Structure formats: C-alpha cells, structure tokens
Amino acid sequence: MSLRCKAVVARSLGKLPVVEQIDIEAPRHGEATIRLAACGVCHSDLSATNGTIAYPLPLVLGHEAAGVVTAVGEGVSRYAVGDHVISSFVSMCGRCHYCQTGRPQLCVQSLRALHTLPDGTLRTRDAAGQSLNVFCGCGVMAEFATVHGDNLVKIDAQMPLDRAALIGCAVMTGVGAAVNTARVEAGSVAVVFGCGGVGLNAIQGCAIAGAAMIVAVDTSEPTLALARTFGATHTFNVTGQENVGKSLYKLTGSGADYAFDCVGKGQISELAWGVLRRGGTAVIVGVAAAKDQITLNAQQVALSEKTLTGCFFGSARPSQDFPRLIGLYRSGRLKLDELITRTYSIDEAPQAFADLSRGREGRGVILFDAA
Ligand SMILES: [Zn+2]
Ligand SMILES: [Zn+2]
C-alpha cells in the first residue's frame, strides 16, 4: 500500500523546485518509512537544482532531516515503529573495506545509492505514476520517505527533531571537518572560508577543539556577525579587498595551522593553502563544480610539508558521531538553536531555495505539519 504526501521535487535545471503530491511505497526488506519532522535546506540541494552537482531529474530533494519511524520492512531489527531517527545521506553497509576500517563516509554502497535506494530501485512516484529519483538515497524533503535502514541513525527520543535534523549534514560536515578530518589542536590558529551552514559549524568545531584564533572569512557582514556567535575570534570581509591571501596571512601572525574551504571553489582552496604556515593543513569541505581545478606550486608542496585534504561529510562515523553531537548540544557546547535562522512550511520550500541562493545567513529549515 502506498502513502500519498507532499514532497519538494526538482523538475527542471535552473528553476526553483516545486511542491507536489507524490506516492511513497511501503518499506521492503531492510527498509523503513519515516514521517519527517524537519529538513534543513542545504547548499547541495540547491546544487542539484542548478546542475552544479549532476543529478538525474526529477528528483525528490532533501538529505538533512529527522523524523519518526512509522513502518519497517522485513529483516529490520535495528529500528521499530516510533523510533526517532536522523537521515544519513551516506549509506553505510557495515561490511565493505571502508566501513570495516572506520571510514563509513566512504562506504561503497553509498555510491550505489546516489539517486536511488542502495538496490537501485525507487519507492517514490509522482501523481502520474512516474518514478522519482531521491537525493542520495534519502529524498527526505517530504512529509514521508521510505529509505534503507543503512541510511538512518537512531537517536534519543528526547532530542528535538528540528535541531536533530541539522546534524544530518551541516553540523556533522562542519564540526567533523575540524574535529575528525583536521583534528584541530588546542591553541591553534584556524581560518574558515565561507560561513554558511557548514562554515559556521567548522568554526564551532574549531572552537570545541580549543583553537585559540578562529578567523571567519565571508562577503556578508550579517553572516560574519553570526560567525562570531559560533566562536570566530576574528572576522574578515573579502569585499573590496585587493590581496586577501596576504592580508589574512598577516592577520594570523605567521600563517594558520588549519584552513577550511567551506565554499568549494578551486580559487578559494588555493587561498586556504596559501594562508597556511609550514606544516599546516588545508581542508576542502565544499563541493566544487565538476570542472573546477586547483593549481599548487609543486616545489612548495614538498618544501612546506603542508597537507591538502578532502573532507566528505565531516569524515563522519554517523552511528557514533550523531549521538556525540547530541551530547555536545545537551551540555551547551554545540550551538544548534542559533543555527536555525528561518523556518518554512513545505509549501514555502521554493522560497527557502530562493533565500538560500541569495545567500541569507544561517540555516533555513522546513518544518512538516504531519509530524
Ligand atoms: Zn547537505
Ligand atoms: Zn560500507
């Protein structure tokens, strides 16, 4: 039996997504249906609507959500009806090389669940009966979704679901970039380029790790003001600046220990590399357009012993890290309330995307009536 509900669907490239009625099939073996409570509107969703990240359309958007399990398929023992869960846009099989060596964010199964469930099939159809792809095996910008159990993490039912949703992408990615990927040390100097949902969390990840100086870099004053509340000790507005790299290097004294490109642009990654002191680490967190390139001086790579590394999903181990982040929130050390700067109903989703593309500060979250 299928379930009819509203969902946010990307139909045509370069256009805002639309809200439509879709049908969700019951869960099959290993799967669960969830009633969503909240879903964050992430830059990657926007990238799917404008082609920066190539996804086959039509596509049910959403990969940063939390909700309650309403049905489970055969063979599901990890979840029961009524459980509270966060979606994980990385499917984690638990058996592959990466899962077994503590790097489930690189799970091979997730490569088979980019726009379908891991078995290559879909549980989503539009009113005309056409199959709808789902963003990273999730498609959780909808009132209901049927996803594989490997794309869910069970959480404590006391955790507010709208706050929990953000852990599913922005918070895990940003905090994880600092804590898991870069392993920021206490007393260090960090520079964070781009202070959107992920950048703000890279800043608070550096703060949680004890960085002494955290420089927030952006083009918007309201965004930089918000960055201070997330732990930035200094802000730098690049608007109208002639030599950003030199100025930032000077501001840090003798270069940064860590620099994070949370925008995802070759030029910004090069800037991040450039502001490092010798031996420093630059982390590319934002996902650049497919043809974007980085150029580095090969001799300097050797002589400076700097590290340039990628960071996917904050090098997350979701089943361990999501509960840890909830623990940090509860102890007052992780800011989630301050991250939600705007909320929308599902009918207002197109406006949420318009606001995001205009670069408004903080995170917009869609709250679902059904929850
Ligand atoms: Zn995201
Ligand atoms: Zn795996």
Side-chain angles (χ1 to χ4, degrees):
M1 229 188 54
S2 68
L3 229 164
R4 183 155 284 202
C5 70
K6 282 184 190 172
V8 183
V9 181
R11 284 267 171 201
S12 33
L13 270 192
K15 294 219 171 110
L16 289 176
V18 292
V19 180
E20 57 186 83
Q21 294 281 348
I22 70 165
D23 290 313
I24 307 279
E25 280 178 31
R28 297 183 193 171
H29 191 273
E31 300 169 0
T33 297
I34 45 179
R35 187 183 73 215
L36 281 311
C39 181
V41 185
C42 174
H43 229 274
S44 300
D45 293 305
L46 183 66
S47 292
T49 70
N50 63 26
T52 303
I53 305 176
Y55 279 99
L57 306 184
L59 176 80
V60 182
L61 295 165
H63 61 281
E64 182 183 85
V68 180
V69 175
T70 58
V72 295
E74 268 176 62
V76 174
S77 55
R78 283 181 287 172
Y79 312 101
V81 170
D83 279 354
H84 288 208
V85 290
I86 300 178
S87 60
S88 167
F89 64 86
V90 168
S91 200
M92 303 162 285
C93 76
R95 297 177 302 276
C96 73
H97 167 81
Y98 301 101
C99 284
Q100 298 221 325
T101 54
R103 303 178 84 182
Q105 80 277 18
L106 303 177
C107 176
V108 293
Q109 177 173 281
S110 67
L111 301 176
R112 296 195 297 270
L114 293 175
H115 47 83
T116 62
L117 299 201
D119 68 358
T121 64
L122 291 159
R123 308 285 169 269
T124 34
R125 273 173 287 113
D126 66 12
Q130 189 196 0
S131 286
L132 296 166
N133 296 305
V134 288
F135 192 112
C136 281
C138 290
V140 285
M141 201 173 281
E143 291 169 323
F144 286 86
T146 294
V147 302
H148 196 279
D150 292 346
N151 285 78
L152 294 174
V153 173
K154 185 177 164 178
I155 57 162
D156 186 333
Q158 300 304 313
M159 178 69 185
L161 288 168
D162 55 345
R163 271 68 178 158
L166 301 179
I167 289 175
C169 180
V171 176
M172 184 69 252
T173 302
V175 174
V179 174
N180 291 343
T181 315
R183 296 181 179 273
V184 167
E185 289 184 10
S188 59
V189 175
V191 178
V192 177
F193 292 87
C195 303
V198 170
L200 288 174
N201 282 293
I203 289 167
Q204 73 168 334
C206 290
I208 289 167
M213 181 182 195
I214 305 169
V215 185
V217 184
D218 204 282
T219 54
S220 145
E221 279 306 321
T223 296
L224 289 170
L226 190 59
R228 282 201 183 262
T229 71
F230 279 78
T233 58
H234 297 70
T235 57
F236 185 91
N237 191 333
V238 297
T239 309
Q241 294 283 344
E242 297 251 308
N243 195 332
V244 173
K246 220 179 204 172
S247 305
L248 279 171
Y249 194 90
K250 221 189 226 169
L251 179 62
T252 59
S254 49
D257 299 294
Y258 308 96
F260 300 85
D261 172 8
C262 296
V263 177
K265 212 170 185 191
Q267 276 179 330
I268 293 175
S269 297
E270 287 171 14
L271 264 179
W273 175 267
V275 302
L276 292 177
R277 72 192 318 155
R278 287 191 295 152
T281 299
V283 184
I284 302 180
V285 191
V287 181
K291 292 193 172 152
D292 208 354
Q293 303 285 327
I294 300 170
T295 306
L296 300 176
N297 180 288
Q299 188 182 61
Q300 283 303 314
V301 173
L303 298 180
S304 70
E305 254 196 42
K306 293 182 191 177
T307 301
L308 177 68
T309 181
C311 164
F312 182 59
F313 197 14
S315 306
R317 300 143 305 176
S319 49
Q320 281 80 39
D321 289 347
F322 288 5
R324 283 182 178 182
L325 289 168
I326 289 171
L328 283 169
Y329 170 69
R330 287 203 167 128
S331 65
R333 280 180 292 168
L334 182 77
K335 291 183 170 60
L336 296 178
D337 305 352
E338 297 82 348
L339 199 57
I340 303 175
T341 47
R342 299 174 302 284
T343 59
Y344 304 89
S345 69
I346 188 165
D347 292 320
E348 294 167 332
Q351 184 61 44
F353 279 83
D355 288 345
L356 179 63
S357 62
R358 283 209 314 271
R360 287 187 58 186
E361 70 281 4
R363 199 62 151 183
V365 176
I366 294 171
L367 302 176
F368 301 99
D369 294 331

